[in-house]
Amino acid sequence: MDKFPIRSYTKKELAFCYFPTAENPHSAVNHLMRWINNCTPLRKALEEQGYQKTAKWLSPREVRLIIEYLGEP
């Protein structure tokens, strides 16, 4: 976690970090959200932070949780 910058990201930005070869932003976001939704502890931790699935931005705290559970992109 010491190399990847923790800051606010749009879902699209973070998704492209994890899936840089995705053909379009929509598919990259879908892949990231699938990973998040399939990781129940991460999904619960995000919900406890106030995460809303319709949000376009992820807070630094949410990004840190995603990296903690999914690893660095």
Side-chain angles (χ1 to χ4, degrees), residues 24-36:
N24 62 58
H26 186 72
S27 64
V29 171
N30 283 345
H31 284 297
L32 178 61
M33 297 316 297
R34 191 174 307 120
W35 278 16
I36 290 171

Side-chain angles (χ1 to χ4, degrees), residues 6 9-10 16 18 20 22-23 27 30 32 34-35 37 39-41 47 50-51 53 58-62 65 67 69:
I6 303 297
Y9 286 88
T10 64
F16 270 124
Y18 278 95
E23 293 183 20
S27 64
N30 283 345
L32 178 61
R34 191 174 307 120
W35 278 16
N37 289 326
C39 182
T40 304
E47 288 170 358
Y51 169 76
K53 70 178 187 176
L58 297 164
S59 72
R61 196 174 289 173
E62 292 166 339
L65 283 171
I67 291 171
Y69 284 91

